[in-house]
Amino acid sequence: MLIGRVIGEVWATQKQPSHEGRKVLYVQPLALDGSDRGQPILALDAVDAGVSERVLVVTEGFSAMTAVDRPNSPIDMAVIGIIDTVELVKDA
Amino acid sequence: MLIGRVIGEVWATQKQPSHEGRKVLYVQPLALDGSDRGQPILALDAVDAGVSERVLVVTEGFSAMTAVDRPNSPIDMAVIGIIDTVELVKDA
Amino acid sequence: MLIGRVIGEVWATQKQPSHEGRKVLYVQPLALDGSDRGQPILALDAVDAGVSERVLVVTEGFSAMTAVDRPNSPIDMAVIGIIDTVELVKDA
Amino acid sequence: MLIGRVIGEVWATQKQPSHEGRKVLYVQPLALDGSDRGQPILALDAVDAGVSERVLVVTEGFSAMTAVDRPNSPIDMAVIGIIDTVELVKDA
Amino acid sequence: MLIGRVIGEVWATQKQPSHEGRKVLYVQPLALDGSDRGQPILALDAVDAGVSERVLVVTEGFSAMTAVDRPNSPIDMAVIGIIDTVELVKDA
């Protein structure tokens, strides 16, 4: 899983019924200090996340399919939660 | 998932019936600003995409198999949609 | 699998029943000499690991789901053990 | 999937019946212009490919198992076709 | 799959019955010329490999589980063979 910030949305001419009624979100992965980490990714929305929210993203196909309760679907990443708090321990 | 642009096609002596009737497309992944991002990839076509179109690509095996409705096939990436619009939020 | 050190915990508004009662841990992967290796990752806790412990992390979806005995769940990484000893052979 | 050139073969004391009668090939991934791209990989042969041939490689476990018709086998990459033609579009 | 050299072993307080009776090996991936390639990985042993042996490692969860005949286990990499010979073709 990774933490990211929702930065946009993508509309596509889908031929996959599994994607109907779900948003495809552009998510910018974040480093521990909240700065950008690598390139943005695309994930199917399972929690109705909004732009600029910090979210929890699962990054594996079978995991992502079950997140939106649509097994056997072409889904490889899904937004599965909205972040409340991150607690880091100094000198862990 | 990632967004890419179709830049070519590959013909191979296939021994896999799962690939019959499907195009193997060369897809150049794109960054947010539309510039190239990394190396081109090969994906099975599930939506009859044409050269130069921007497409949505799923990059996991089980997901890709279901995209072309051929489970238990040697497919690890598939083109599953043609992009209409990308909306990005400034200062997300 | 990889070895890492628990450095924090994440609380999210989960909509996934699979995550209830399990901690989402921030884990810093470690190199052989114990130094940091790459960026921290997020993994579901299967062994009740505490902050600053060295842990064994499985990094594949289907594997991680079985680690917490919750198949068909959106889990892609899991902490599956607490490290006792690492034995390296010189001039292997 | 990726395109590569067969550059060698590996013999191992296998304890996996799934690998019997199949070659383990060393494959050098290729860039669009035919030059080397990254490090060589190891893939199980599903099409009786020979050294120096350009081949199509599937790079996911479940996909690779079905390519050689041996589900539930420890196979994560397989050579599934021999390349005939690659057609690239200028200014795609 | 990849080729590596066994460089050590890890003992952990496992809570996974799937790991009982199996060694967790530290394996250093090797390049074609036998030099080190990237960081060491951890893999479950399926062939009773010893330190300093060159081994064949499968790097996908479902594949690795079947290698040790323990499906539905938190295993993402497994040592599945001991290398006898690598034959490379010049000017392939």
Side-chain angles (χ1 to χ4, degrees), chain A residues 8-89:
Chain A
E9 199 171 337
V10 172
W11 284 267
T13 304
Q14 305 282 356
K15 299 213 171 168
Q16 305 298 334
S18 57
H19 283 54
E20 274 164 28
R22 296 282 183 186
K23 291 183 285 187
V24 175
L25 297 175
Y26 243 122
V27 178
Q28 171 62 55
L30 300 176
L32 274 179
D33 60 3
S35 63
D36 293 356
R37 168 180 168 182
Q39 298 265 350
I41 56 174
L42 291 171
L44 209 65
D45 182 27
V47 293
D48 199 25
V51 163
S52 89
E53 280 185 303
R54 278 195 308 165
V55 292
L56 192 59
V57 183
V58 68
T59 63
E60 201 261 352
F62 196 66
S63 311
M65 288 171 207
T66 62
V68 292
D69 199 18
R70 295 176 178 176
N72 303 328
S73 300
I75 305 169
D76 54 5
M77 292 194 187
V79 172
I80 64 166
I82 297 173
I83 304 292
D84 293 323
T85 319
V86 174
E87 184 179 283
L88 293 174
V89 179

Side-chain angles (χ1 to χ4, degrees), chain D residues 60-80:
Chain D
E60 201 262 351
F62 196 65
S63 311
M65 289 172 206
T66 63
V68 292
D69 199 18
R70 293 175 180 179
N72 303 329
S73 300
I75 305 169
D76 55 4
M77 291 195 189
V79 172
I80 64 165

Side-chain angles (χ1 to χ4, degrees), chain D residues 5-16 19 26 39-40 42 51-52 61 65 72-76, chain E residues 1-3 31-32 37 47 56 58-60 62-63 66-67 80-89 92:
Chain D
R5 188 177 301 282
V6 179
I7 61 168
E9 198 170 340
V10 172
W11 283 267
T13 305
Q14 305 283 354
K15 299 214 170 167
Q16 305 297 334
H19 284 55
Y26 244 123
Q39 296 265 351
L42 291 170
V51 163
S52 89
M65 289 172 206
N72 303 329
S73 300
I75 305 169
D76 55 4
Chain E
M1 288 173 286
L2 57 83
I3 288 180
L32 275 179
R37 167 181 169 181
V47 294
L56 192 60
V58 68
T59 63
E60 201 263 350
F62 195 65
S63 311
T66 63
I80 64 166
I82 297 172
I83 304 292
D84 293 324
T85 320
V86 174
E87 185 179 282
L88 292 174
V89 179

Side-chain angles (χ1 to χ4, degrees), chain B residues 45-64:
Chain B
D45 183 27
V47 292
D48 200 24
V51 163
S52 89
E53 280 185 303
R54 280 195 308 166
V55 291
L56 193 59
V57 183
V58 68
T59 62
E60 201 262 352
F62 195 65
S63 311

